[in-house]
Amino acid sequence: MHSISKRIGLFFVVVLLMCVLPAKGEQTYIKASVDSAALLIGQQTRIHIDVTTDQGKVLQLPVFGDTIMNGVEVIGIDKLDTTMLDNQRMQLRQSVLVTSFDSALYYIPPFKVIDGLDTVYSDPLALKVSTIPLDQVNPDEIYDIKGVWKPAFVLSDYLLWIIIPLIIILLCVAAYFIYKYMKKRNEGRKVIAPEKLIPPHEKALTELNKIKEEKIWSQGRTKEYYTQLTDVLRVYIDERFHIDAMEMTTSELLSYIKGVPEAQPILDKLKSILSVADLVKFAKYVPLFDENESSLQNAYLIVESTKVIPKVPDEDENKEDDSAPNSENSETKDE
């Protein structure tokens, strides 16, 4: 019985050790280190806090303010870095950039991490801050103030001074070419022909006079004669009544003319000319000599009966207008 009880007790001890050993392997550890423990005044160094714990565990890490301790100032805090390890463990690293402006040997107390009900501490750190050593060879000699150091050349600092002149130069070049192009375009542009300033009826009468002088119908060129005659009338109607007569057929033109009150007197004459012209062009009709003469006379009558003469200021009126202020001036002088 005694041996059996000893065996049972030994079994419970082994089970207890098996339960305790894994628990110790899951503890949280914290380690603090510094890149350089010896600095000159104003130099900087980094303090690293490494925490190893189980994955998914919630910890309360050290919180850093403006200083680590009196005399050791915090310049910047790096982003927390997490690294997954084997056996469901992870490592957390927090780096802090520090400096000091007072020479002394600083004792940095341990950093702590709160893991639930447990608090884990790191080892303390030491930071020695020294002043700039004096010239021991010539301690009484006074030196001038050091000159200003030129900063390193950085292209981005001068980009604005490079881009703005380039933009101005490009704009000037573009303006020059636009000016040359517009000048060349204006030089190559045709001057408005004087005939465009001539009233429509005068142009039409000039063209009819040419047709009358040539008398090409007497040379057997009847089709060409009626083509010239109808083209002159269509251009005149286009400019006089603002009708696109050149693109209309005979029936379309006559139908449109019926709706224009000013063109009613010429409707029959125009219909007669266009009808004969269509027969000559499409039916190979050969009109008599009198018909050719009659078509030309009707064309003259169409233009003369519908022409609009632009008003020109009377010279006598201009003289009266010019003399009016002169007479007023003479009256004022007499007064």
Side-chain angles (χ1 to χ4, degrees), residues 34 55 73 91 94 107 117 126 138 178 193 197 282 285-286 295-296 329:
V34 61
Q55 294 184 16
E73 300 180 9
Q91 184 180 40
Q94 183 81 68
Y107 172 80
L117 299 177
N138 302 307
I178 291 173
L197 304 177
F282 306 111
Y285 173 71
V286 180
S295 296
L296 183 59
N329 293 334

Side-chain angles (χ1 to χ4, degrees), residues 129-319:
V129 181
S130 305
T131 58
I132 299 174
L134 298 176
D135 187 356
Q136 300 297 329
V137 179
N138 302 307
D140 298 330
E141 188 172 349
I142 299 175
Y143 297 95
D144 292 336
I145 299 174
K146 292 288 186 180
V148 179
W149 288 5
K150 292 184 179 180
F153 176 78
V154 180
L155 181 61
S156 58
D157 294 341
Y158 301 92
L159 281 179
L160 191 62
W161 297 99
I162 297 173
I163 292 173
I164 291 179
L166 285 177
I167 292 175
I168 294 174
I169 292 172
L170 289 175
L171 289 175
C172 292
V173 172
Y176 172 76
F177 280 107
I178 291 173
Y179 167 76
K180 294 288 288 183
Y181 170 76
M182 295 301 295
K183 184 178 180 182
K184 185 177 180 181
R185 183 180 177 185
N186 292 332
E187 290 175 354
R189 187 177 294 172
K190 293 182 180 179
V191 181
I192 297 175
E195 62 177 9
K196 290 189 176 180
L197 304 177
I198 300 174
H201 70 276
E202 291 186 11
K203 291 192 293 182
L205 292 174
T206 300
E207 294 299 324
L208 291 176
N209 290 334
K210 290 180 181 179
I211 295 173
K212 184 178 179 181
E213 290 176 2
E214 292 176 356
K215 292 184 180 182
I216 61 175
W217 71 84
S218 62
Q219 304 169 14
R221 297 156 60 187
T222 309
K223 184 176 180 179
E224 185 180 349
Y225 164 69
Y226 277 96
T227 300
Q228 292 180 1
L229 189 62
T230 53
D231 285 348
V232 170
L233 290 176
R234 286 177 179 271
V235 171
Y236 171 72
I237 292 171
D238 188 344
E239 296 180 358
R240 171 61 180 84
F241 300 104
H242 306 290
I243 300 172
D244 193 10
M246 297 298 293
E247 302 298 328
M248 292 183 179
T249 62
T250 299
S251 59
E252 289 174 346
L253 179 57
L254 293 174
S255 177
Y256 200 94
I257 285 292
K258 288 181 181 179
V260 181
E262 297 173 313
Q264 293 305 313
I266 67 169
L267 183 59
D268 294 336
K269 296 180 179 60
L270 180 63
K271 182 177 180 181
S272 174
I273 296 173
L274 295 178
S275 299
V276 175
D278 287 344
L279 290 173
V280 172
K281 292 177 185 178
F282 306 111
K284 297 183 179 179
Y285 173 71
V286 180
L288 299 175
F289 185 85
D290 293 340
E291 285 184 285
N292 296 331
E293 290 282 354
S294 177
S295 296
L296 183 59
Q297 291 302 320
N298 286 334
Y300 275 106
L301 291 174
I302 288 172
V303 175
E304 289 291 347
S305 59
T306 57
K307 67 180 180 180
V308 176
I309 301 175
K311 294 182 179 180
V312 180
D314 219 356
E315 293 183 2
D316 295 336
E317 293 179 359
N318 293 336
K319 289 180 180 179

Side-chain angles (χ1 to χ4, degrees), residues 98-114:
V98 298
T99 189
S100 178
F101 297 99
D102 293 325
S103 60
L105 178 61
Y106 295 98
Y107 172 80
I108 301 176
F111 299 97
K112 66 179 180 178
V113 173
I114 298 176

